[in-house]
Amino acid sequence: MRDAVVRVRGGMLGGAGVVTLLWAAQVRPSARPDALFATAAHLSGLLAGYGVLVLLFLMARVPAVEHGVGADRLARWHAFGGRYVLLLVFGHGLFALLGYAVHEGTDVVSAASELLGYPALAAAAAAAALLAAVGVTSARVVRRRVPHETWRGVHLFVYLAAALAFAHQLAGPDLAAAGWFWALAHTVVAVLLVWYRGVVPVRQALRHALRVADVRVEGPGVVSVVMYGQHLAELRAEPGQFLRWRFLQRRLWHTALPFSLSAPVRGNALRITVKGLGGHSRRVRRLRPGTRVLATGPFGALTAARRTRPKVLLIAGGVGITPMRALFETLPGGPGDITLLYRAGAEEHLVLRAELEAIAAERQAGLHYLLGPSGAAYDPLAPQALVALVPDLAEHDVYLCGPPGMAEATRTALLRAGVPAGRIHSECFSF
């Protein structure tokens, strides 16, 4: 996985370097204020256009990238890069406006009015406004209050913004010499988006014909959904991965929900286990047998391929037990090689308990329940507590899945207990 991360990150940075070289090959040094503003506008505009392409590529769901880097890391890169793209977009607009105002000897308001009279520049302004809307709805404080469907709908404006910006970029005389490069980059990303976010999901839906077989109560607010279909081995869904599920039932069909597999695929059946935290998760409990299901994926890199050591420690918190339960059953290992720590608030919150205990008995694997409310005086995931449970902890690979706060605190504890960062494997299964 590390190699894939290095390659993708290197490719992104290398592309930015190529864009900068294109700018450097065309720049004409000048000390005039209007020329300096124009030069800054040119560079920031090129990098902003390239940045939008990178953001789209990261979310194109290309299997080699998703499985090599991990969906969680890609989402973090996407969010982090989006802030800088917005800064570049507004920097480009500001530099261009100031350069034009200085060149024409007019005030900024008049300059803005004149520039918006050009169709290509008006399209660019509209693209910037759309990107700003996406950025605002993605801010953490806003996103908590915005329904997922609204957030997702606003995000679709990125495609329109990219198209408008592309038209503006090709209309600019500064890009004439490198138009072939820009057109090729946009074409490649567009093809990847259409194929992996459009064609592949439709093809999977027709091929696998998934339907709900049963909905089983596993605990307070927790259900397992068993589905059956055809040719499920072709999904190549590994334990630890997740798929995006769209249930074709009223009030659910319009949202793709990311849930991990809670058991390996067996024949023509697969299973997810869901905790009813949000409105959609609660509606999953009311799914009717026979409901048609559209599944895309698999995604994520929390799989056996990340393993580097003979011994493995799995740590699950809350509904994070779902991918850990699948890995607990399937990770290769002899007696004592696999250990699972399951953190829950109380005994009644433990789900899939009978299955976990049967797996532990059959494989002679370690299984420990860490019970108690969060924030209590005794923390069972503190460094000393972890070492007491697993004395040779530093020699393990650690797979971690749970609520963000618990996962971050546990990661810190593992590092303090001597586990190298490269052996801590985690992923967040969320929107």
Side-chain angles (χ1 to χ4, degrees):
M1 177 180 178
R2 184 174 181 81
D3 291 341
V5 171
V6 171
R7 286 196 297 270
V8 173
R9 184 186 287 133
M12 293 188 297
L13 294 175
V18 170
V19 170
T20 304
L21 288 176
L22 288 174
W23 165 81
Q26 300 173 58
V27 69
R28 297 293 181 266
S30 173
R32 294 190 353 252
D34 58 337
L36 291 175
F37 282 129
T39 299
H42 186 200
L43 177 59
S44 57
L46 287 173
L47 290 175
Y50 171 75
V52 170
L53 286 181
V54 169
L55 295 181
L56 292 175
F57 171 75
L58 291 177
M59 293 293 104
R61 298 178 183 170
V62 180
V65 178
E66 286 266 357
H67 299 167
V69 177
D72 187 30
R73 190 191 302 264
L74 287 174
R76 291 198 302 271
W77 285 359
H78 179 83
F80 181 78
R83 301 184 185 101
Y84 287 96
V85 167
L86 280 175
L87 286 175
L88 286 167
V89 166
F90 289 110
H92 169 68
L94 179 61
F95 289 135
L97 177 61
L98 294 176
Y100 184 82
V102 171
H103 181 74
E104 296 296 321
T106 185
D107 61 274
V108 172
V109 175
S110 299
S113 178
E114 291 178 23
L115 286 175
L116 291 176
Y118 295 96
L121 296 180
L130 292 173
L131 290 175
V134 172
V136 168
T137 56
S138 296
R140 188 173 302 176
V141 66
V142 177
R143 189 173 176 184
R144 291 191 186 123
R145 294 169 170 79
V146 173
H148 180 70
E149 294 81 6
T150 302
W151 174 83
R152 182 178 176 83
V154 173
H155 255 66
L156 294 177
F157 285 132
V158 170
Y159 301 119
L160 177 58
L164 292 172
F166 178 60
H168 163 63
Q169 291 156 7
L170 289 187
D174 291 329
L175 196 61
W180 63 270
F181 170 81
W182 223 243
L184 177 63
H186 280 74
T187 300
V188 169
V189 172
V191 169
L192 291 174
L193 284 167
V194 170
W195 182 256
Y196 288 112
R197 300 203 66 154
V199 176
V200 169
V202 171
R203 187 179 63 179
Q204 283 185 326
L206 296 175
R207 178 67 172 165
H208 302 302
L210 281 169
R211 292 185 181 274
V212 173
D214 191 19
V215 179
R216 305 169 183 169
V217 176
E218 302 285 3
V222 180
V223 298
S224 286
V225 181
V226 179
M227 290 161 275
Y228 63 89
Q230 304 171 6
H231 316 292
L232 295 188
E234 296 176 9
L235 276 174
R236 299 182 180 179
E238 300 180 55
Q241 291 185 314
F242 70 96
L243 293 92
R244 290 182 173 89
W245 310 89
R246 195 180 297 272
F247 300 98
L248 302 188
Q249 185 170 299
R250 183 174 175 268
R251 302 183 71 184
L252 274 174
W253 65 269
H254 55 291
T255 300
L257 303 166
F259 296 129
S260 61
L261 298 173
S262 59
V265 176
R266 293 188 173 90
N268 287 332
L270 49 76
R271 185 186 74 180
I272 59 175
T273 301
V274 180
K275 187 173 184 178
L277 292 176
H280 295 300
S281 299
R282 286 194 294 270
R283 293 181 193 121
V284 168
R285 290 182 289 175
R286 296 193 288 271
L287 282 172
R288 296 185 297 271
T291 298
R292 187 72 180 268
V293 183
L294 306 182
T296 58
F299 306 107
L302 195 68
T303 66
R306 298 177 73 168
R307 184 175 183 176
T308 65
R309 286 303 211 241
K311 291 191 174 184
V312 176
L313 173 64
L314 307 172
I315 303 179
V319 79
I321 190 61
T322 56
M324 296 296 103
R325 180 256 176 258
L327 288 166
F328 192 46
E329 178 182 350
T330 59
L331 280 175
D337 286 344
I338 312 296
T339 302
L340 171 62
L341 306 183
Y342 185 1
R343 179 79 171 94
E347 190 169 355
E348 59 268 23
H349 295 154
L350 297 172
V351 298
L352 307 175
R353 181 173 183 174
E355 295 181 21
L356 295 171
E357 293 174 355
I359 293 169
E362 180 180 349
R363 303 195 64 186
Q364 299 180 50
L367 173 62
H368 303 276
Y369 301 126
L370 310 180
L371 304 178
S374 59
Y378 174 72
D379 181 5
L381 292 174
Q384 302 91 329
L386 290 172
V387 172
L389 284 171
V390 188
D392 55 346
L393 177 61
E395 298 303 316
H396 284 64
D397 268 315
V398 181
Y399 286 70
L400 170 63
C401 189
M406 170 261 180
E408 185 58 34
T410 304
R411 179 180 177 82
T412 301
L414 289 166
L415 292 172
R416 290 175 57 192
V419 181
R423 292 192 211 142
I424 303 174
H425 317 299
S426 64
E427 196 146 20
C428 179
F429 299 85
S430 62
F431 290 115

